[in-house]
Structure formats: C-alpha cells, structure tokens
Amino acid sequence: MVGSRAYSLYHRSSDRKGSLPRGNAGRHPTAAPRLPRLPARTPAAHALLELIALSRAQFDAPDEGEILRLAMDHIVAAGPYSAEAGYLKVGGDLVPSPWNGRRHALAVGRRVRELAGQDGNVSVAGRPWGRALGLRGPGALHGYLVVTSRSRPTEAERYLLAMLVRHTAAALSLAFAHHRQREDALELHRLREERTALQRKLISVVAELGYERAVHALMADVAASGGGEEAVTRALHGLTGLPALLEDRFGRLRSWTGPDRPVPYPEPDPVRQDEMLHAVARQAGPVRIRDRLITLIRTHGEILGVLALVDARDEADEHTVLALGHAAASLALELTHLRNLAEVELRLHRELADDLLAGTDEPSAYARSEAVGHDLHGSHYVVVVQWSNRTADDSFAQTVSRAAVAVGMRSLLTRRSDHVVLITGDRPHARALYEALARETGTRSGTIGVSALCDAVDDIPHHYQEAQRALDVRRHSRERYGTTFFDELGLYRILGPGNDYRELETFVHEWLGQLIDYDSRHHASMVETLSRYFDCGGNYDETADSLAIHRSTLRYRLQRIRDISGYDLANVEDRLNLQVATRVWKIVLGGPG
C-alpha cells in the first residue's frame, strides 16, 4: 500500500455516515451522529463505555484510514486530550492523515520520524503536555497518534488513553490483516488467471506443434510416394480447402487442384510476371496479390516456380500459411530433384550432340539418341545461340535449354566457346526462342542462327556451318539482334569465306532447279536463254540476236521462265539471285549438266 492509497482511504472515510461524535478535535461537528447516551454512574465509567463503543466502531470500520479518524475524532473520551496528528505506516513510510492540523504539521512530522518507532514526548506551543504514541501490532508498527493535553493527565486519564491506543492498534492490526488477505486473494486470483492463460497458451502451442508435425509428415509422405507436383497440390488443397496451383517461373500452369480452374489458362505477361516475382521475393513469407496467396519455390536463391492458393474470400489463417510453406518446401525438393535429373540428361545430350556436330556413324547415333529419349529419325535443324552479355558456360546452356523447353522445342544441346548449339526436330519459330531467352537473360542483345532443313545424320556437320553462317550474317547486319534462317539468306549464302562447291550447287539448284529439270525433260534451253538475257543487260533485241531467235520467241520464253521457276524478273531481289545463279551455273559449274 502506498501513500496515495492512504489518502484515498482518508477521503472516503470523511464522508461516511454513522461515525462516532467528534470531540473538541473534530473538524466537522455535523458529520456524524453521537453514540446513544448510557446512564453513567461515574465519569470514569462513562468514559469506559464511550471507549468500548469507539472500539466496536473501529473494528467495524472498512479501512485503516477510518480507524485512525475515529480515534482522532473521539480522543476526548479518554480525557482532556486533543489529537494533533495521526500517521499510518504505508510502504515503509509514515503518511500523515488528512485530518492533521497545519499549524504544527512540519515540526510534529519531523519529531515523529525522529522517534523511529518508539514512543516519545512532543512539544506543541500552548500545550504543556504532548506525546507521540506508537500504534503497534504483532511485530509491526502501524502508525502514530500524536496527543496533546491542556493539563498534565492523571493516572486514570493516562490509563484510558493507553486503552484507546491499544484498541486502535488492535483494530489497525485487524484491518491490515484483512487488507493483506484481500491483496493475497487478489494476487491468488491473478495467479490463477495467469496460470489458466498459460495453460491455454500451452495447449494452443501443443496443438500448433501437432498440426505442424502432421503437415510436415503429410508432405514428407507425399514427396516419398513419388506422386510429383500433382500430389503436393492435391495435399495442399486437402489441408486448406482452397484451390492450389503450381506455375513455372514464366507463369505457365504446371498443376491445379480444386474447383474454378480457368480454361484456357491465361497466357502470362512476361513483364508483369517478372514484377510479381521480384515483389514476392522481397518478402519473408507468402504475399497476397489480388485473390491469391503466393509463395516462391526457391533453391540456393534461384526461383524454380510459384505456388499459390486461390483465396477470394480472404479466409487464410496461420494454419493456411503453415501448410503453404511446407508444401513449398516439399516442392522445392521435388523440383530440385527434377533439375538434377535434367542436368544429367543434359550432359548425355551434350555428348551425343558433340559427336553429331563432329560427324558420327548413323547406327551409333540412332542407338544413343534412343537411350537419351531423343528421336533422330526424320528431319532436323541446327540452331546456334549467342548472347552478348553471357559467356557460353553451363549456366547459359541451362538457360537456353529452359527457354527451348518453354517454347516447345525438343532438342539436343551442347556448347562451344562463344555459343550454344541446339539440334532440334522442328523448324524454330521466328521469334519464340529469341523472346524466351530475352526474358531469361534480361536483355535482347542476342543473336540466333538457324540452318536449312537437314534430312540425314551425316549432314548435321554441314548444317551446323549453315547455322553459323546465318548467325555471322545477322551479327554483321544493321539489325544485329534477332533470329536469322540460312534458307532466307539468298545471295549471302555464297558470299564470304568458307563456302565450297557443294554450297554453290545448292544455291544454283534452289534458284534454277525448276528450269534445269524442265530443260532436261523437254530438251529445251530455258536456263541458257535466261543467262543470255542477263549477259545482254536485259535488252530484248541483243538477247534475241545472240540466241538467233525472234523477239516474240524471246518474250514467250521469258514468260515461261516466270511460270516454271515462280520468280518474278521485275523483282529486284529475285532478279539479283537469278543472275548470280546463272553466272555460277555457267562459269563455276560449267553450264548444263
């Protein structure tokens, strides 16, 4: 109990009804009715009766402040006394009563503290006798009552005063005991409430740990069962009741379990997908984006995919977040295992691709391709990839492999010092692989060269050179970044170093093949006519004279050349390639045959 509580007790007692009558020390004579008057035989007997009534009132008082006030107000029952001051021991300090007089308050208070728990005389001006009397209980000092008298008290008056002090001290002991009991009861109640709260928290923690262990065990069992991604999303949906889905890092759906699956699944926007990945990666746990609770599947800082719950009603709680986290951890192990398998497969593919580019026998190539799950039968294309900000190391080779898979290219892959090589069964899309690699690398500064169609395994080394030629032409062009196909190079196919007789034949066959076949079948001279036409600079008269034919015959033959070849002599590109082809046919290849 502190000083402020004592003052509060005093103030509450000051307005209490039913108090004993105040004597000459009372400050509020109308505050309480007097005790009933009993027939008194002597003044001493009357005083004893009043003290007995006071003692009863004190023992019935609600608190310590009221007990001290009653003693101070009715001190005259013991003799010619006045109560100068009263003090209660509160928290090791003596707190003055609000009923104390102000005239001698400082001096009296200092003297009481000097006594240090002992009784002693007190000097008050105008009072020949003054005494500070300790209000003591069993083993404790409860306070002081400072009493003065107009005359020196008689022995009987001293006895009555001592009786009043003992009764007051006894009432205070009882009040303090009751107060301690109340405080002990409150403390016991608080401790019981705290124990109950701790027990509830412990039960909650045990339940949480049990749920976490159950979720962990379930996900471990799912991973051990070999069910793959579908099994994990199915378990997550069963735990949360929410649709669960898995996307690759590009935003393409890999697995969905639960209702309301979008059909068709929305095609991802590369820019928004990258922004979403960066936003989620900056957070420590799952992130809510619109109606989805999203977490990343990562290993060693690399994002392998995105796991999400569709929570349109915002029902997810801590159990949902816990299940999502365990599912992501399980999928990280699964996807890492798949990544490791892919790396082993990539190494086997690379060894086979290296041998194919260098030249190998067909039986061995077919047997090894079947072992790694790649079909070499049929036609193929060779693709060369080079990116300005990436060296052609294993990391970049894996990047190219992921991008190729993402756009549906099944291929063998290997790398060289400055580029990555793909041997694929389908003609690559003009932009798809390039765009996928631009997203993966974060830059568009890359070039892709694609060979012409390859129909035989032993032709792959030659078509590898074609892909390199297409790459080199693109890199030295005005638009150096993008995809270039060798069969679209035209005249550039035979320009530059490294071209052989075979390439010249291929170029001539592409542009003059239809005319050569027509001449052979019909014993005609369409190619010769076209060659003379170009030699004469497109002059009709000079060409007709050199061929010894009529002008109208020349016009007819040129029209037939357009129809048979499919090329337009009025088109600048077609005209240039046809002129070069006829010159190569005539000079390098030796004319007909």
Side-chain angles (χ1 to χ4, degrees), residues 75-86:
I75 192 72
V76 295
Y81 301 115
S82 294
E84 293 294 335

Side-chain angles (χ1 to χ4, degrees), residues 424-503:
T424 181
D426 298 318
R427 180 181 174 89
H429 188 273
R431 294 182 302 275
L433 180 61
Y434 175 78
E435 295 294 340
L437 281 169
R439 290 194 299 269
E440 281 276 354
T441 60
T443 176
R444 304 181 68 83
S445 59
T447 308
I448 301 174
V450 183
S451 74
L453 182 64
C454 176
D455 293 321
V457 170
D458 55 6
D459 279 343
I460 288 178
H462 172 70
H463 286 79
Y464 173 40
Q465 294 176 0
E466 293 180 349
Q468 289 178 296
R469 179 65 180 155
L471 178 75
D472 187 62
V473 169
R474 183 60 180 249
R475 288 181 62 248
H476 290 87
S477 66
R478 180 176 297 179
E479 297 293 334
R480 58 183 302 186
Y481 300 132
T483 302
T484 296
F485 292 82
F486 180 79
D487 55 13
E488 296 177 356
L489 289 179
L491 181 59
Y492 290 102
R493 290 166 53 180
I494 61 173
L495 297 179
N499 297 300
D500 55 17
Y501 184 84
R502 178 179 177 180
E503 186 56 51

Side-chain angles (χ1 to χ4, degrees), residues 358-415:
T360 186
D361 60 288
E362 287 190 358
S364 172
Y366 288 138
R368 292 169 61 190
S369 67
E370 290 178 3
V372 298
H374 183 83
D375 185 11
L376 269 182
H377 297 280
S379 301
H380 281 78
Y381 290 86
V382 180
V383 181
V384 178
V385 179
Q386 188 178 71
W387 233 255
S388 62
N389 69 331
R390 297 290 296 270
T391 57
D393 54 11
D394 287 339
S395 175
F396 183 58
Q398 292 174 4
T399 300
V400 174
S401 177
R402 288 196 302 272
V405 171
V407 298
M409 292 174 58
R410 292 183 54 82
S411 57
L412 298 173
L413 182 145
T414 188
R415 62 183 179 85

Side-chain angles (χ1 to χ4, degrees), residues 14-266:
S14 66
D15 295 330
R16 197 175 307 279
K17 296 181 179 179
S19 301
L20 287 172
R22 304 177 190 268
N24 59 354
R27 274 72 172 170
H28 302 282
T30 61
R34 292 184 175 275
L35 291 172
R37 290 289 182 178
L38 298 175
R41 298 173 182 173
T42 64
H46 179 73
L48 284 175
L49 290 176
E50 284 202 21
L51 289 177
I52 291 171
L54 173 64
S55 176
R56 290 175 179 173
Q58 286 177 321
F59 277 93
D60 292 336
D63 52 55
E64 301 90 327
E66 179 69 6
I67 292 172
L68 185 60
R69 185 190 69 79
L70 288 172
M72 293 175 67
D73 280 357
H74 299 88
I75 192 72
V76 295
Y81 301 115
S82 294
E84 293 294 335
Y87 297 87
L88 285 177
K89 190 75 172 289
V90 179
D93 191 18
L94 289 173
V95 178
S97 167
W99 305 107
N100 292 353
R102 297 181 180 179
R103 183 177 179 184
H104 309 293
L106 292 177
V108 172
R110 185 165 51 249
R111 173 58 180 161
V112 168
R113 288 176 174 80
E114 289 174 355
L115 292 174
Q118 301 298 318
D119 292 354
N121 295 328
V122 174
S123 297
V124 175
R127 295 284 182 173
W129 185 88
R131 191 80 172 164
L133 303 170
L135 302 172
R136 299 178 181 85
L141 176 70
H142 298 317
Y144 270 98
L145 185 62
V146 179
V147 181
T148 59
S149 176
R150 297 183 301 273
S151 61
R152 185 168 298 278
T154 65
E155 183 176 351
E157 290 169 344
R158 288 174 180 269
Y159 173 78
L160 292 176
L161 179 60
M163 182 181 294
L164 182 147
V165 169
R166 287 197 298 273
H167 286 185
T168 301
L172 286 174
S173 295
L174 182 61
F176 277 116
H178 286 164
H179 178 69
R180 284 193 299 272
Q181 286 179 350
R182 287 193 299 271
E183 288 185 342
D184 290 344
L186 290 174
E187 179 65 12
L188 180 61
H189 178 72
R190 186 188 67 79
L191 291 174
R192 285 174 176 170
E193 290 290 330
E194 185 176 331
R195 183 190 65 180
T196 301
L198 289 174
Q199 287 176 339
R200 290 173 180 170
K201 186 175 182 180
L202 180 60
I203 292 171
S204 176
V205 169
V206 170
E208 291 289 337
L209 290 175
Y211 179 77
E212 183 173 357
R213 283 196 298 269
V215 172
H216 179 74
L218 175 62
M219 290 302 173
D221 290 343
V222 169
S225 68
E229 303 162 3
E230 290 283 351
V232 175
T233 56
R234 186 164 54 249
L236 181 59
H237 171 61
L239 286 168
T240 63
L242 300 173
L245 63 112
L246 172 66
E247 295 177 343
D248 64 16
R249 72 178 310 278
F250 302 108
R252 294 180 177 85
L253 184 67
R254 295 174 64 99
S255 175
W256 180 296
T257 303
D260 303 326
R261 172 178 175 174
V263 179
Y265 198 74

Side-chain angles (χ1 to χ4, degrees), residues 489-492 494-495 507 511 534 568-583:
L489 289 179
L491 181 59
Y492 290 102
I494 61 173
L495 297 179
F507 179 78
W511 287 94
F534 286 130
D568 184 4
L569 295 178
N571 182 278
V572 176
E573 188 73 21
D574 288 354
R575 187 185 184 93
L576 175 62
N577 285 299
L578 286 170
Q579 185 172 4
V580 172
T582 58
R583 184 60 59 91

Side-chain angles (χ1 to χ4, degrees), residues 496-553:
N499 297 300
D500 55 17
Y501 184 84
R502 178 179 177 180
E503 186 56 51
L504 294 174
E505 282 188 321
T506 302
F507 179 78
V508 170
H509 179 74
E510 178 180 337
W511 287 94
L512 301 178
Q514 298 287 344
L515 296 176
I516 293 172
D517 291 343
Y518 180 86
D519 287 347
S520 177
R521 290 194 307 269
H522 297 87
H523 305 286
S525 56
M526 293 296 180
V527 178
E528 177 65 21
T529 300
L530 184 62
S531 176
R532 294 287 184 91
Y533 175 75
F534 286 130
D535 289 343
C536 293
N539 186 289
Y540 272 51
D541 293 332
E542 291 183 14
T543 304
D545 290 343
S546 67
L547 292 172
I549 61 175
H550 195 272
R551 179 185 175 92
S552 61
T553 303

